[in-house]
């Protein structure tokens, strides 16, 4: 199973990805977690990424692509994965398609290999802002959150159409109780919907 979890910041991507990864015994790969770990460890990548994250901007493609490529080549990813936080733009999605072909994932639109699904969690902005403020992360204040939502709408939302056009999109209402969202995801992804 190869899944990309999409949705605005605070939609519950990470929570749902962790739950389903544990259930299906596949790795949950969060580019946000990897980036935050790099920031804490003060690696070169972390220091470069920090300046973008502090402004609520997306980390540049080149940095994210290097991280993702390295992670996708690890042995535990060979049986499937849930990717959270990447791709975030259509150019990243095109790169990712090529990467999957290169590492043998074969999740291209040609239908060969494992079928890639892109899961989009829909949640209203007012709910997102409240959720993010309640997390209490250092990088979450209302101004930064609203900027991140604006960046998401401008740069990431076109991915919804990208994957819809390829018939790989699974849309789920994320403005419900966590267990309800998980149940809906399991139903939608197992083909029972």
């Amino acid at each position: 199973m190869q899944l990309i979890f999409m949705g605005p910041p605070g939609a519950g991507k990470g929570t749902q990805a962790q739950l389903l990864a544990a259930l299906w015994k596949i790795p949950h790969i969060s580019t946000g977690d990897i980036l935050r770990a790099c920031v804490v460890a003060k690696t070169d990548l972390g220091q470069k990424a920090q300046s973008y994250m502090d402004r609520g901007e997306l980390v540049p493609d080149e940095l994210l692509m290097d991280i993702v490529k390295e992670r996708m080549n690890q042995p535990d990813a060979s049986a499937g994965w849930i990717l959270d936080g990447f791709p975030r733009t259509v150019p990243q999605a095109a790169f990712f398609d090529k990467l999957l072909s290169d590492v043998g994932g074969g999740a291209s639109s040609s239908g060969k290999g494992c079928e890639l699904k892109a899961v989009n969690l829909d949640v209203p902005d007012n709910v997102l802002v409240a959720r993010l403020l309640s997390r209490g992360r250092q990088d979450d204040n209302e101004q930064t959150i609203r900027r991140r939502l604006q960046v998401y709408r401008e740069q990431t939302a076109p991915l919804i159409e990208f994957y819809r056009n390829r018939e790989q999109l699974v849309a789920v209402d994320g403005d419900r109780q966590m267990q309800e969202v998980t149940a809906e995801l399991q139903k939608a992804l197992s083909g029972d919907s």
Side-chain angles (χ1 to χ4, degrees), residues 157-175:
L159 277 178
I160 295 168
E161 285 307 309
F162 177 84
Y163 287 114
R164 181 178 287 130
N165 291 339
R166 296 165 59 129
E167 298 180 0
Q168 293 174 306
L169 184 69
V170 176
V172 173
D173 177 5
D175 187 19

Side-chain angles (χ1 to χ4, degrees), residues 135-152:
R135 288 196 314 199
R137 280 193 191 154
Q138 183 179 348
D139 60 341
D140 287 341
N141 61 60
E142 188 162 352
Q143 181 180 351
T144 304
I145 289 167
R146 293 205 180 273
R147 174 65 184 142
R148 285 168 58 203
L149 291 173
Q150 179 185 353
V151 168
Y152 170 78

Side-chain angles (χ1 to χ4, degrees), residues 55-75:
R55 294 190 305 267
E57 304 287 339
L58 294 179
V59 174
D61 286 359
E62 307 79 48
L63 296 177
L64 280 180
M65 289 178 188
D66 287 344
I67 288 175
V68 171
K69 184 174 184 178
E70 182 178 298
R71 182 61 182 93
M72 298 305 286
N73 282 312
Q74 293 178 10

Side-chain angles (χ1 to χ4, degrees), residues 25 35 69 124 126 160 162 187:
K25 296 180 180 20
L35 282 171
K69 184 174 184 178
N126 61 331
I160 295 168
F162 177 84
K187 183 179 172 187

